[in-house]
Amino acid sequence: GSRGGQSGGEASERSTMLLQLAGRAAARTARVGLAQRAFSGSAPLATDSIVKVTLVDYLGRRHQISGVVGQTLTRASELNGLNDILADDGKGGGYNPVQIIHNERWVEDKWGEGCTSYSPHVIVPNEWFDKLPEPLWDEKAALDRIETFDRGPLTAHSRIASCIVLTKELDGIEVHVPDAFPADIP
């Protein structure tokens, strides 16, 4: 009875161990397969975070850019090399506390950011305006400064680009950028 120099008991133990290992591997494979099938329908893709934006400058030129969910419109513009079209001379800075609501479970508190400048003024068309949240007090103050200092066409659909946080719902948004006021005039 021994095979390959092993006694019957050793061979039996080895067979039992191999069967147990095979069983565990099969169970693990089945669990991974189930998890993959369950997850495959809801797996986020990188493209799920991309938000396409069209900036229309004061000459009517259309600039197509891509941003990422959670970025401000100004930051997306900067990262696409359009600092001259949608500049923020306040750099989105300041000392105002700001909350960025990414989703219902993730609210991010930020300090040293927020709306401190009215220079990234944009006009949002009707079809997109209602998809934006109400402006907070700092954005309202910046919009008031546009009117106070006569720095451009303030409309009912005026917003500050550094206060517009991109969401997937804004994918395809088009905003109009009015002519910037001269920086050398006080």
Side-chain angles (χ1 to χ4, degrees):
S2 72
R3 221 172 140 188
Q6 294 179 347
S7 71
E10 290 175 349
S12 176
E13 283 180 38
R14 182 168 169 79
S15 294
T16 303
M17 186 175 73
L18 288 174
L19 284 173
Q20 287 175 343
L21 289 173
R24 287 185 195 144
R28 189 175 327 113
T29 301
R31 281 194 308 271
V32 168
L34 286 172
Q36 285 174 338
R37 282 193 298 279
F39 191 68
S40 66
S42 63
L45 303 173
T47 55
D48 293 340
S49 297
I50 304 290
V51 180
K52 298 287 186 184
V53 177
T54 301
L55 301 173
V56 181
D57 67 21
Y58 69 98
L59 295 174
R61 294 179 297 205
R62 301 171 71 77
H63 306 272
Q64 306 240 335
I65 65 170
S66 294
V68 178
V69 169
Q71 277 181 338
T72 65
L73 184 53
T74 304
R75 184 69 178 140
S77 175
E78 289 170 357
L79 291 174
N80 282 270
L82 296 178
N83 295 353
D84 57 333
I85 294 172
L86 195 55
D88 180 5
D89 62 4
K91 299 295 181 210
Y95 300 101
N96 303 322
V98 175
Q99 280 193 329
I100 297 176
I101 301 171
H102 296 282
N103 60 44
E104 64 274 356
R105 294 177 60 199
W106 179 24
V107 177
E108 184 177 10
D109 292 323
K110 298 264 193 165
W111 287 88
E113 300 182 23
C115 188
T116 60
S117 171
Y118 51 81
S119 63
H121 172 218
V122 294
I123 299 171
V124 181
N126 285 337
E127 61 268 21
W128 294 101
F129 192 77
D130 291 334
K131 294 182 181 185
L132 297 174
E134 289 290 319
L136 298 176
W137 66 270
D138 56 345
E139 184 178 4
K140 288 178 184 177
L143 291 168
D144 287 344
R145 287 193 299 273
I146 291 173
E147 192 169 53
T148 301
F149 298 115
D150 195 26
R151 296 296 191 175
L154 185 65
T155 73
H157 289 173
S158 288
R159 294 297 297 263
I160 303 298
S162 59
C163 297
I164 296 175
V165 177
L166 297 178
T167 63
K168 198 60 184 168
E169 187 179 16
L170 296 177
D171 191 28
I173 189 171
E174 179 177 292
V175 296
H176 298 267
V177 184
D179 190 10
F181 51 89
D184 60 346
I185 298 176

